[in-house]
Amino acid sequence: MSSLSLRRPLRGAPRSRLFILAGIVVALVGFLGWFATGPLHLASADDKPLSQGKPVTASSLEGQGYPAKAVVDGDVKTRWSSAFSDPQWIQVDLGAPVAVGRVVLNWERAYATAFELQVSVDGTNWRSVYATTTGTGGTQNITVSGLGRYVRMYGTKRSSGYGYSLWEFQVFGTGSAPATATVNPPSSASQSATTQPTSGTGGTGGTAAAGYIMAPNPVTNVKPSHEVPPNKGGFHEFQANCSVSRTNLGDDPIVFPGLAGASHLHTFMGNTTTNAATTIDSLTKGQTTCKAKGDLSAYWMPTLLNGDTEVNPVGLQTIYYKAGVTDYRSVRAFPKGLRFVVGNAKNTDADKFLAATEEGFECGNSYKNKNIPLTCPAERSVQLNIRYQAPSCWDGLHLDSPDHQSHMSYPVDTHTASGWVCPDSHPVAVPKLEFKMAWPVNGDMSKVRFTSGAGPTFHYDFMNAWDDRTLAAMIDGCIVAARQCDPRGHDGRDDQQPAPYVLNEQYLLP
C-alpha cells in the first residue's frame, strides 16, 4: 500500500512594526504573570516521549519497507504497516516500568476504528488502559493511567481493507508511579497508581489501581495461623468433578479480557459460557459441567496437541479443593470474583515446574517427569497425567493483580510444629486448587505439546463463581471438618462414619 503525504509550504511575509509591538506586549504580559503566579509552564519530563528509539515488536509487517521500529524513530515520513487482517498489534519496550500518562498515535490513512491501549510489567500479562470502537484516525492524543514497561496498541478492526499503519507511536510518562490512591499491594509488587474504574473482567470489585482489582469486602483482620490442629496428618479436601465445556478458543478473560482470539487456544471446564468477554455477572447466569450445581466457576488451561490434532480430556476431571496450610481449620472460602493464573505460559524452568506438581508428568509407571515424556506405553488404559497445585494464601485485599499472581502466595514451611503457614503478606488461607488432568494420548509422544509450548509451560486459570453458601458449606463440611470428600461432600471411609452429605442427590445444597 502506498501513501502520499501532502504538505502546504509555509508562506514567508515581512513582519510589520505593529506585529513586532504586539509580540513585545505578549511577552511583557507573560513576564509580569511570572511575578504574580510563579513561573510559566514551558516544558516538563512528560513532554519528551519515553518511547523514542526504544525496542519495538509487532504482530506482522506488510513488508520490509514498513518496519516496526519506524514508529519510534521520530521521522513522520517512515511508518509501520501490518498484514491485512485482524487482530494486529505493535508494542514498545520502555526498558523499565513507568507510570504511563499519555499516548500519541499518529496514524497513516490505514488506521484502527477499534483498538485498545494496553500496558504490561512483564510483556506477558496485559491490562487495558484505553479502548474505543469509534476511532477516527489522524493524530490521537490519549490520556491514560497505568504502570508498565511495555505499551501496546492492539487493533481489532481496521478502517479499510489494508492493514494498520502508524507514522509514530509516542509514549509519555514518568519513571515512577504517582503517589495517589495506593491500595496496599503485596510486598512483591509494591506499585501504586491513580484509581480508575474496574475493567470488564470485574462485575464484583470496587476499583482497580495499576491492574489491581479491589475486593468489595477486604479481609484485613486476619493473621496467619500458627496453631497446631488435631488430626494434623489427615485428609482435608473435597473434589470438584468437571468435564470439558468449550474447546479451541483463543480466549482468556483474565489475561486478555475482551480480546477474542488474542491468546493461544484453551480448553475450558466448568462454566459453559466462558469466553473473552466473561465477567462474574455473566458466569452467574451460565450453566456448569461440574457435578456440584453451585460451582459456576470458570477453569481453563492450554489445549494439548498431538502434532496438529487437538487432544482433550474425556469425561469428568478432578479439581481438588484442599488445605494448603497445616491448620486446616483456618481455611475460608474464596471471595466471589477472585481470579488467578497458576504457572507461566513462558516458563522454561523445568525444575520449578516439577516442584509445583505432585508427581510431574505421569504415564504408565513413569513418574516425576519434568517434561512430557517422549514415549508412553501404547496401552488403552494409559493416559498422560498431571497434578498441578495452586497457591493457597490470599492477600485479603485484591481480586486480581497486574500479573494475575501477586495477590496470591504459596504457604511457607516454618520447620516447626506449625508446619505450613501463610506468609504475613498473604495471611488469608483459602482452598488449594489441584488440577488432576488426564489426556487420552500414549505411544509416540514426540509431537505432543501444549498450545503454550513444551510441558513446563502448562498453566491454568481460575475465576471463582461458586454459589457463596455452597462453597462455604463444602469447605466447612470437608476441609475444616478434616474429611476426604467426594463431589457431594461425603467421606465414605469407615473411620469417618456416620459421614453426612453436604449436597443432596442432585448435587444441590439443601
PDB file of all heavy atoms in Angstrom, residues 159-173:
ATOM      1  N   SER A 159      -9.897   0.254   9.440  1.00  0.00           N
ATOM      2  CA  SER A 159     -10.749   1.237   8.764  1.00  0.00           C
ATOM      3  C   SER A 159     -10.953   0.913   7.293  1.00  0.00           C
ATOM      4  O   SER A 159     -11.819   1.492   6.647  1.00  0.00           O
ATOM      5  CB  SER A 159     -10.120   2.631   8.880  1.00  0.00           C
ATOM      6  OG  SER A 159      -8.844   2.648   8.232  1.00  0.00           O
ATOM      7  N   SER A 160     -10.159  -0.018   6.757  1.00  0.00           N
ATOM      8  CA  SER A 160     -10.226  -0.339   5.333  1.00  0.00           C
ATOM      9  C   SER A 160      -9.749  -1.769   5.111  1.00  0.00           C
ATOM     10  O   SER A 160      -9.516  -2.508   6.075  1.00  0.00           O
ATOM     11  CB  SER A 160      -9.348   0.630   4.534  1.00  0.00           C
ATOM     12  OG  SER A 160      -7.975   0.413   4.849  1.00  0.00           O
ATOM     13  N   GLY A 161      -9.591  -2.139   3.876  1.00  0.00           N
ATOM     14  CA  GLY A 161      -9.092  -3.469   3.551  1.00  0.00           C
ATOM     15  C   GLY A 161      -7.592  -3.598   3.725  1.00  0.00           C
ATOM     16  O   GLY A 161      -7.053  -4.701   3.609  1.00  0.00           O
ATOM     17  N   TYR A 162      -6.909  -2.478   3.977  1.00  0.00           N
ATOM     18  CA  TYR A 162      -5.477  -2.523   4.233  1.00  0.00           C
ATOM     19  C   TYR A 162      -5.226  -2.927   5.695  1.00  0.00           C
ATOM     20  O   TYR A 162      -6.150  -3.278   6.421  1.00  0.00           O
ATOM     21  CB  TYR A 162      -4.846  -1.170   3.920  1.00  0.00           C
ATOM     22  CG  TYR A 162      -4.915  -0.799   2.460  1.00  0.00           C
ATOM     23  CD1 TYR A 162      -5.799   0.188   2.013  1.00  0.00           C
ATOM     24  CD2 TYR A 162      -4.110  -1.436   1.521  1.00  0.00           C
ATOM     25  CE1 TYR A 162      -5.873   0.527   0.676  1.00  0.00           C
ATOM     26  CE2 TYR A 162      -4.177  -1.104   0.176  1.00  0.00           C
ATOM     27  CZ  TYR A 162      -5.055  -0.114  -0.246  1.00  0.00           C
ATOM     28  OH  TYR A 162      -5.130   0.218  -1.569  1.00  0.00           O
ATOM     29  N   GLY A 163      -3.976  -2.837   6.121  1.00  0.00           N
ATOM     30  CA  GLY A 163      -3.646  -3.204   7.489  1.00  0.00           C
ATOM     31  C   GLY A 163      -3.790  -2.028   8.438  1.00  0.00           C
ATOM     32  O   GLY A 163      -4.608  -1.123   8.224  1.00  0.00           O
ATOM     33  N   TYR A 164      -2.979  -2.041   9.508  1.00  0.00           N
ATOM     34  CA  TYR A 164      -2.878  -0.921  10.434  1.00  0.00           C
ATOM     35  C   TYR A 164      -1.553  -0.229  10.140  1.00  0.00           C
ATOM     36  O   TYR A 164      -0.534  -0.891   9.930  1.00  0.00           O
ATOM     37  CB  TYR A 164      -2.878  -1.398  11.878  1.00  0.00           C
ATOM     38  CG  TYR A 164      -4.138  -2.116  12.299  1.00  0.00           C
ATOM     39  CD1 TYR A 164      -4.292  -3.481  12.065  1.00  0.00           C
ATOM     40  CD2 TYR A 164      -5.168  -1.441  12.935  1.00  0.00           C
ATOM     41  CE1 TYR A 164      -5.441  -4.152  12.453  1.00  0.00           C
ATOM     42  CE2 TYR A 164      -6.325  -2.097  13.329  1.00  0.00           C
ATOM     43  CZ  TYR A 164      -6.454  -3.454  13.084  1.00  0.00           C
ATOM     44  OH  TYR A 164      -7.596  -4.116  13.471  1.00  0.00           O
ATOM     45  N   SER A 165      -1.557   1.098  10.141  1.00  0.00           N
ATOM     46  CA  SER A 165      -0.339   1.804   9.774  1.00  0.00           C
ATOM     47  C   SER A 165      -0.161   3.046  10.641  1.00  0.00           C
ATOM     48  O   SER A 165      -1.071   3.871  10.758  1.00  0.00           O
ATOM     49  CB  SER A 165      -0.378   2.203   8.289  1.00  0.00           C
ATOM     50  OG  SER A 165       0.855   2.746   7.894  1.00  0.00           O
ATOM     51  N   LEU A 166       1.025   3.158  11.250  1.00  0.00           N
ATOM     52  CA  LEU A 166       1.342   4.283  12.128  1.00  0.00           C
ATOM     53  C   LEU A 166       2.640   4.954  11.674  1.00  0.00           C
ATOM     54  O   LEU A 166       3.634   4.284  11.390  1.00  0.00           O
ATOM     55  CB  LEU A 166       1.523   3.796  13.568  1.00  0.00           C
ATOM     56  CG  LEU A 166       0.265   3.471  14.381  1.00  0.00           C
ATOM     57  CD1 LEU A 166       0.644   2.690  15.637  1.00  0.00           C
ATOM     58  CD2 LEU A 166      -0.464   4.755  14.762  1.00  0.00           C
ATOM     59  N   TRP A 167       2.583   6.305  11.626  1.00  0.00           N
ATOM     60  CA  TRP A 167       3.817   7.061  11.416  1.00  0.00           C
ATOM     61  C   TRP A 167       4.638   7.057  12.710  1.00  0.00           C
ATOM     62  O   TRP A 167       5.827   6.811  12.690  1.00  0.00           O
ATOM     63  CB  TRP A 167       3.501   8.507  11.036  1.00  0.00           C
ATOM     64  CG  TRP A 167       2.771   8.710   9.733  1.00  0.00           C
ATOM     65  CD1 TRP A 167       1.499   9.133   9.573  1.00  0.00           C
ATOM     66  CD2 TRP A 167       3.293   8.507   8.410  1.00  0.00           C
ATOM     67  NE1 TRP A 167       1.170   9.210   8.238  1.00  0.00           N
ATOM     68  CE2 TRP A 167       2.257   8.840   7.495  1.00  0.00           C
ATOM     69  CE3 TRP A 167       4.521   8.082   7.910  1.00  0.00           C
ATOM     70  CZ2 TRP A 167       2.419   8.753   6.120  1.00  0.00           C
ATOM     71  CZ3 TRP A 167       4.686   8.005   6.531  1.00  0.00           C
ATOM     72  CH2 TRP A 167       3.650   8.329   5.655  1.00  0.00           C
ATOM     73  N   GLU A 168       3.957   7.374  13.828  1.00  0.00           N
ATOM     74  CA  GLU A 168       4.645   7.458  15.107  1.00  0.00           C
ATOM     75  C   GLU A 168       3.761   6.882  16.223  1.00  0.00           C
ATOM     76  O   GLU A 168       2.526   6.979  16.168  1.00  0.00           O
ATOM     77  CB  GLU A 168       5.012   8.901  15.458  1.00  0.00           C
ATOM     78  CG  GLU A 168       6.148   9.483  14.626  1.00  0.00           C
ATOM     79  CD  GLU A 168       7.489   8.834  14.933  1.00  0.00           C
ATOM     80  OE1 GLU A 168       7.960   8.946  16.087  1.00  0.00           O
ATOM     81  OE2 GLU A 168       8.074   8.209  14.030  1.00  0.00           O
ATOM     82  N   PHE A 169       4.404   6.286  17.224  1.00  0.00           N
ATOM     83  CA  PHE A 169       3.749   5.726  18.404  1.00  0.00           C
ATOM     84  C   PHE A 169       4.535   6.264  19.594  1.00  0.00           C
ATOM     85  O   PHE A 169       5.613   5.764  19.925  1.00  0.00           O
ATOM     86  CB  PHE A 169       3.808   4.200  18.333  1.00  0.00           C
ATOM     87  CG  PHE A 169       3.164   3.458  19.473  1.00  0.00           C
ATOM     88  CD1 PHE A 169       2.396   4.098  20.429  1.00  0.00           C
ATOM     89  CD2 PHE A 169       3.334   2.085  19.597  1.00  0.00           C
ATOM     90  CE1 PHE A 169       1.810   3.398  21.471  1.00  0.00           C
ATOM     91  CE2 PHE A 169       2.744   1.360  20.632  1.00  0.00           C
ATOM     92  CZ  PHE A 169       1.982   2.032  21.577  1.00  0.00           C
ATOM     93  N   GLN A 170       4.019   7.312  20.236  1.00  0.00           N
ATOM     94  CA  GLN A 170       4.752   8.000  21.295  1.00  0.00           C
ATOM     95  C   GLN A 170       4.114   7.724  22.652  1.00  0.00           C
ATOM     96  O   GLN A 170       2.895   7.819  22.807  1.00  0.00           O
ATOM     97  CB  GLN A 170       4.770   9.505  21.029  1.00  0.00           C
ATOM     98  CG  GLN A 170       5.522   9.889  19.755  1.00  0.00           C
ATOM     99  CD  GLN A 170       5.490  11.386  19.527  1.00  0.00           C
ATOM    100  OE1 GLN A 170       4.440  12.004  19.629  1.00  0.00           O
ATOM    101  NE2 GLN A 170       6.642  11.964  19.231  1.00  0.00           N
ATOM    102  N   VAL A 171       4.969   7.408  23.612  1.00  0.00           N
ATOM    103  CA  VAL A 171       4.520   7.134  24.975  1.00  0.00           C
ATOM    104  C   VAL A 171       5.173   8.153  25.899  1.00  0.00           C
ATOM    105  O   VAL A 171       6.386   8.345  25.871  1.00  0.00           O
ATOM    106  CB  VAL A 171       4.907   5.710  25.413  1.00  0.00           C
ATOM    107  CG1 VAL A 171       4.447   5.456  26.849  1.00  0.00           C
ATOM    108  CG2 VAL A 171       4.314   4.672  24.471  1.00  0.00           C
ATOM    109  N   PHE A 172       4.335   8.788  26.729  1.00  0.00           N
ATOM    110  CA  PHE A 172       4.807   9.786  27.674  1.00  0.00           C
ATOM    111  C   PHE A 172       4.486   9.335  29.083  1.00  0.00           C
ATOM    112  O   PHE A 172       3.472   8.681  29.325  1.00  0.00           O
ATOM    113  CB  PHE A 172       4.137  11.138  27.417  1.00  0.00           C
ATOM    114  CG  PHE A 172       4.417  11.705  26.055  1.00  0.00           C
ATOM    115  CD1 PHE A 172       3.658  11.328  24.959  1.00  0.00           C
ATOM    116  CD2 PHE A 172       5.441  12.615  25.868  1.00  0.00           C
ATOM    117  CE1 PHE A 172       3.910  11.851  23.700  1.00  0.00           C
ATOM    118  CE2 PHE A 172       5.706  13.143  24.606  1.00  0.00           C
ATOM    119  CZ  PHE A 172       4.941  12.754  23.521  1.00  0.00           C
ATOM    120  N   GLY A 173       5.354   9.692  30.019  1.00  0.00           N
ATOM    121  CA  GLY A 173       5.111   9.324  31.406  1.00  0.00           C
ATOM    122  C   GLY A 173       6.285   9.676  32.265  1.00  0.00           C
ATOM    123  O   GLY A 173       7.169  10.451  31.875  1.00  0.00           O
TER     124      GLY A 173
END
